[in-house]
């Protein structure tokens, strides 16, 4: 169940867990019991999300405004990397069409 922020005019902000179907409905303030409208005070919480998806969101967020330069991209791969270096590794084969393959290292792997 998601956590939503609410803003009471008398007591200030508070949070509450509510079903998504009730996200826009006002909530009673836990201190004074007045009706408080929903407010967006903080960024969404992704703590319940699996770690691989959370990392993917973080990567997309970083690359949305500042994509990696060619130097940064090449630095992320080790020396002798067969996927993007200029010279082919001994474990990399190329077809006439230019597709790369890794027949000895990972026979199940399809080229990217």
């Amino acid at each position: 169940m998601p956590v939503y922020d609410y803003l009471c005019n008398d007591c200030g902000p508070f949070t509450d867990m509510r079903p998504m179907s009730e996200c826009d409905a006002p909530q009673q303030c836990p201190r004074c019991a007045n009706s408080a409208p929903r407010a967006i005070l903080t960024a969404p919480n992704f703590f319940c999300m699996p770690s691989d998806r959370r990392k993917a969101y973080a990567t997309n967020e970083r690359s949305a405004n500042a994509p990696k330069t060619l130097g940064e991209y090449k630095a992320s791969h080790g020396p002798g990397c067969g996927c993007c270096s200029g010279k082919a590794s001994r474990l990399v084969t190329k077809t006439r069409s230019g597709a790369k393959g890794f027949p000895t290292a990972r026979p199940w792997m399809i080229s990217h």
Side-chain angles (χ1 to χ4, degrees), residues 26-69:
Q27 176 69 3
Q28 284 188 344
C29 176
R31 294 182 205 114
C32 66
N34 287 336
S35 180
R38 182 173 166 217
I40 299 175
L41 303 173
T42 59
N45 293 325
F46 295 114
F47 61 88
C48 294
M49 188 179 292
S51 64
D52 56 342
R53 185 175 288 175
R54 191 171 47 246
K55 288 177 187 174
Y57 275 101
T59 301
N60 286 341
E61 187 64 30
R62 277 194 311 272
S63 65
N65 300 320
K68 286 184 179 179
T69 64

Side-chain angles (χ1 to χ4, degrees), residues 56-105:
Y57 275 101
T59 301
N60 286 341
E61 187 64 30
R62 277 194 311 272
S63 65
N65 300 320
K68 286 184 179 179
T69 64
L70 183 60
E72 291 171 340
Y73 180 75
K74 286 186 176 182
S76 66
H77 295 277
C81 174
C83 71
C84 62
S85 63
K87 59 184 179 182
S89 170
R90 63 182 171 88
L91 301 176
V92 177
T93 61
K94 285 191 176 184
T95 63
R96 287 184 186 179
S97 65
K100 295 178 184 177
F102 303 90
T104 57

Side-chain angles (χ1 to χ4, degrees), residues 8-21:
C8 177
N9 292 334
D10 299 329
C11 303
F14 65 94
T15 58
D16 194 17
M17 291 180 66
R18 309 255 334 245
M20 290 178 75
S21 61

